[in-house]
Amino acid sequence: MGTEFTGEFRLKKTSYLAFGIFDLITLCYYLIIQLTESKIPFYSDFIQLNQLTARFGEGIKQSELYAYTMATPFLIVYLSLFLSIWLYFKQNYNVKWVVLFQTPFRIISLVTTIPFLVSIFQWLFLGKDNFAVITYVFYMFIALIEIMKTIYIFRICKN
């Protein structure tokens, strides 16, 4: 009985650490990309979003709404990564609420839990004849992974 508790505790601790490292890698990757392109992370995104809506939304409110709808999930995920990383490394069970909040935005924006998953997919399949079908299957796979991660976090966070 004591070893079961220890094993369960070790699994929870390892899971927190692994997901925290995944989120940290994702955030660092974003920051490195932004800095190598001589951009200020987050600030440049807001500026580009405003320029995009000004360019494509001239007199058309639907275009402006579309631009904000597509860009906002990225910003929400990347900004909320700071909180999720901190909660994972503190091994705080309230991380489950952040994960629940992030899940739909991760699915929409394709900012996956597993870093570089989208890049690997593009490298493997871009230019293939059935790329549209493969993309659809990959998108469903990402959605499934994110939903399973959320369920897993809620299961290990139960008290």
Side-chain angles (χ1 to χ4, degrees):
M1 186 119 152
T3 56
E4 183 177 271
F5 174 76
T6 307
E8 198 173 301
F9 177 74
R10 197 170 334 149
L11 176 65
K12 183 186 288 189
K13 189 174 181 174
T14 304
S15 297
Y16 281 144
L17 183 62
F19 286 125
I21 289 171
F22 284 163
D23 281 357
L24 184 61
I25 290 170
T26 301
L27 185 61
C28 287
Y29 180 70
Y30 166 77
L31 294 174
I32 289 169
I33 293 295
Q34 292 292 308
L35 293 173
T36 56
E37 294 176 357
S38 299
K39 296 179 182 176
I40 301 169
F42 303 110
Y43 177 75
S44 296
D45 293 333
F46 285 115
I47 298 298
Q48 284 181 330
L49 179 60
N50 287 331
Q51 291 172 350
L52 178 70
T53 55
R55 189 176 327 132
F56 294 111
E58 295 172 357
I60 305 172
K61 290 296 178 193
Q62 291 86 359
S63 296
E64 187 174 325
L65 179 63
Y66 178 75
Y68 279 110
T69 303
M70 295 310 293
T72 303
F74 287 100
L75 293 172
I76 289 172
V77 170
Y78 284 122
L79 287 171
S80 67
L81 283 176
F82 289 104
L83 179 60
S84 67
I85 291 167
W86 182 67
L87 289 173
Y88 277 131
F89 287 152
K90 297 265 302 171
Q91 298 178 11
N92 188 321
Y93 70 93
N94 285 320
V95 74
K96 66 185 175 186
W97 302 113
V98 176
V99 169
L100 185 64
F101 172 77
Q102 285 179 342
T103 299
F105 297 109
R106 282 182 181 265
I107 292 170
I108 292 168
S109 64
L110 295 177
V111 177
T112 60
T113 297
I114 303 169
F116 311 115
L117 190 60
V118 174
S119 300
I120 292 168
F121 168 78
Q122 288 175 339
W123 178 72
L124 287 174
F125 298 109
L126 194 61
K128 301 285 188 208
D129 292 337
N130 53 354
F131 185 70
V133 174
I134 294 170
T135 301
Y136 178 76
V137 170
F138 180 70
Y139 186 76
M140 293 298 112
F141 176 69
I142 286 176
L144 182 65
I145 286 175
E146 293 303 325
I147 291 167
M148 286 174 39
K149 173 195 157 193
T150 303
I151 292 169
Y152 176 75
I153 293 295
F154 265 79
R155 290 199 63 188
I156 66 168
C157 288
K158 68 178 185 226
N159 287 22

